[in-house]
Amino acid sequence: MLLEAPFTEEKMRALKVGDLVEITGVVYTGRDAVHKYLHDGGKPPVVLRDAIIYHCGPVVVKEGGRWVVKAAGPTTSIREEPFQGPLMEQYGLRGVIGKGGMGPKTLAACQKVGACYLHAVGGAAQVLAECVTDVLGVHMMEEFGSPEAIWEFRVARFPAVVTMDSHGKSLHASVASASAEVLSRLLKP
Amino acid sequence: MDAKMLQARLLELIRRTSCELPPDVIREIEKGWRREKSDTNAKYAFGVIRDNIGLAAVKSQPLCQDTGTIICDVARPDWVSERAFRAAFEKAVDEATRVGYLRQNSVDSVTGRNSGNNLGPGSPVIHFHETTARSLTARLMLKGGGCENVGAQYSLPDTSLGAGRDLEGVRICVLDAVHKAQGKGCGPGVLGVCIGGDRATGYVASKETLLRSLDDANEDPVLAKLERRLLDEANTLGIGPMGFGGATTLLGVKITARNRVPASFFVSVSYMCWAYRRDGFQLSAAGKIAKWLYD
């Protein structure tokens, strides 16, 4: 289903674990350095209310005076677990795109503010780069370097799976517990 | 061969490794795709993976934006010194970063500064072996951080897992590592496992064994059997591609062993993501690429 900007609470609350979505609108990349900076009280250079943050450190090069995205898949999200929930609540983030899933703190924040975790296919940097139709800007490039900077991407039909929703459901938690049961059977002496 | 030509050949090795998956890897991904049921998140993930493989090759752009730790394994004939090879490889890495085959991926661990060209202390990694052959053999692996982070090393006995100092203990450790990794290493993954060695050589050997072809069989029949068993058992865990659930949790398991001191028994597990970027060539003294090693 399509998920188009503006990313309202109503739209996010309607999404459920397992839904395939195609995101159209503006997303901001942000990973380790950005999350730590914001969590430490740094001022965000972009408006984060109702925004979607993309855990991504893209390959972007300048060609003929303009930015060209060469690769832009998701990075592992769990590293931002200490920061994501508080930032979601403080700024009213509506979603996070990443990979590998996040933990209980983020899940609780999704429930509270009405947000979702949107899982992109890790490693699929070309398919996802094709969905970036425009680079609107870059922030904090000097401080953090290119992969850690905040890139402002306009995306069209960016594919992702809802793996954590605003109703307290997490696909990651259910796969982890189901596979733990199989594991304990395999390891039975 | 002059330095410029060596640099150009190494740039092509980097480009090919970053942008094109070798045929042995693609075959296993196709098998996984066929195995998954239609209308599942697992099938969908494989669909995106297959599209991505095609697109990266056509556009000659990185399969994954995390172009990883750059690890080069070189069998070096006497016509090129270690110093000359390193100089040419570093120039090739610098150029590959400028044109976007590699991301700016090397960060000073103390200051946090990105060097901007993938060069710096410890980067790129080059392992040299001397060879009496006339041609140079170079194998390159680009190993992303997501999968590197889910690697694990166990010291046996491990009482919390109930893993003793035998192959059954090894089996328990490997399955534990796969379960802990869930989808975080961009599965379906390939495991490189080393039994024994010390902490450093165990991890190095676990990565070296990932240079094997996916469809070969271990020369040691005991390890060959353990590889097959672990692959089958891991694929019953139901973790699936990306951790979405599904029948394909791993694409392969490769195991090697090193002698150990009597007091130590390490099991080192390196996890490689589905974007298993490793390639290699044989290069003649005249600078001709005689053979791509995984074609």
Side-chain angles (χ1 to χ4, degrees), chain B residues 5-292:
Chain B
M5 186 184 278
L6 179 58
Q7 184 187 326
R9 296 293 180 265
L10 291 170
L11 179 65
E12 173 57 9
L13 176 61
I14 295 167
R15 185 203 65 78
R16 222 172 103 129
T17 308
S18 182
C19 308
E20 300 174 23
L21 280 192
D24 61 322
V25 179
I26 293 179
R27 277 195 295 272
E28 293 305 317
I29 288 173
E30 291 296 305
K31 274 190 217 166
W33 176 72
R34 285 195 298 271
R35 192 184 295 134
E36 299 295 344
K37 294 197 183 84
S38 22
D39 291 326
T40 58
N41 288 332
K43 191 85 170 183
Y44 159 80
F46 266 117
V48 176
I49 286 169
R50 293 171 79 230
D51 289 349
N52 195 68
I53 293 168
L55 205 52
V58 167
K59 295 178 79 175
S60 203
Q61 289 185 2
L63 277 145
C64 175
Q65 77 291 337
D66 185 358
T67 54
T69 306
I70 303 161
I71 307 167
C72 190
D73 185 280
V74 186
R76 183 186 64 78
D78 59 10
W79 52 260
V80 59
S81 69
E82 288 192 12
R83 214 168 36 182
F85 183 91
R86 178 172 286 279
F89 190 59
E90 288 188 352
K91 281 188 180 150
V93 164
D94 181 89
E95 192 179 346
T97 313
R98 250 183 298 124
V99 297
Y101 300 146
L102 297 174
R103 182 173 71 179
Q104 299 176 4
N105 225 25
S106 184
V107 175
D108 183 307
S109 297
V110 179
T111 64
R113 287 298 293 182
N114 192 315
S115 74
N117 62 359
N118 277 305
L119 303 181
S123 178
V125 179
I126 309 177
H127 297 294
F128 288 105
H129 322 271
E130 205 176 45
T131 178
T132 52
R134 281 300 293 152
S135 57
L136 177 149
T137 302
R139 289 180 166 83
L140 178 64
M141 175 154 53
L142 301 175
K143 191 167 187 303
C147 66
E148 183 67 0
N149 288 348
V150 298
Q153 191 168 60
Y154 298 83
S155 176
L156 299 186
D158 184 318
T159 45
S160 67
L161 290 175
R165 298 180 137 205
D166 51 21
L167 291 182
E168 176 58 13
V170 173
R171 176 180 156 263
I172 292 170
C173 294
V174 171
L175 289 173
D176 179 70
V178 175
H179 180 258
K180 284 212 176 86
Q182 290 290 310
K184 292 179 187 68
C186 282
V190 180
L191 298 188
V193 179
C194 177
I195 307 169
D198 65 15
R199 287 192 185 274
T201 59
Y203 263 135
V204 170
S206 73
K207 285 187 184 161
E208 272 173 8
T209 199
L210 288 170
L211 297 173
R212 279 171 52 193
S213 275
L214 259 182
D215 43 17
D216 71 359
N218 201 311
E219 285 171 14
D220 180 330
V222 174
L223 297 184
K225 198 173 154 198
L226 186 58
E227 288 177 356
R228 286 194 303 271
R229 179 175 181 190
L230 281 167
L231 179 60
D232 289 345
E233 289 184 337
N235 282 338
T236 66
L237 288 172
I239 295 167
M242 291 299 127
F244 286 170
T248 318
T249 297
L250 292 183
L251 299 173
V253 178
K254 300 292 173 191
I255 307 177
T256 188
R258 293 290 181 274
N259 280 12
R260 58 185 175 81
V261 295
S264 298
F265 194 126
F266 294 111
V267 178
S268 308
V269 182
S270 284
Y271 189 110
M272 186 70 192
C273 55
W274 70 259
Y276 189 179
R277 287 153 292 164
R278 62 111 170 80
D279 212 330
F281 61 30
Q282 261 177 24
L283 196 60
S284 76
K288 185 174 176 300
I289 297 174
K291 188 183 169 192
W292 287 96

Side-chain angles (χ1 to χ4, degrees), chain A residues 109-134:
Chain A
C110 284
Q111 237 177 319
K112 193 166 166 194
V113 308
C116 288
Y117 180 82
L118 306 155
H119 199 305
V121 172
Q126 289 310 320
V127 168
L128 300 175
E130 288 270 294
C131 301
V132 180
T133 54
D134 212 353

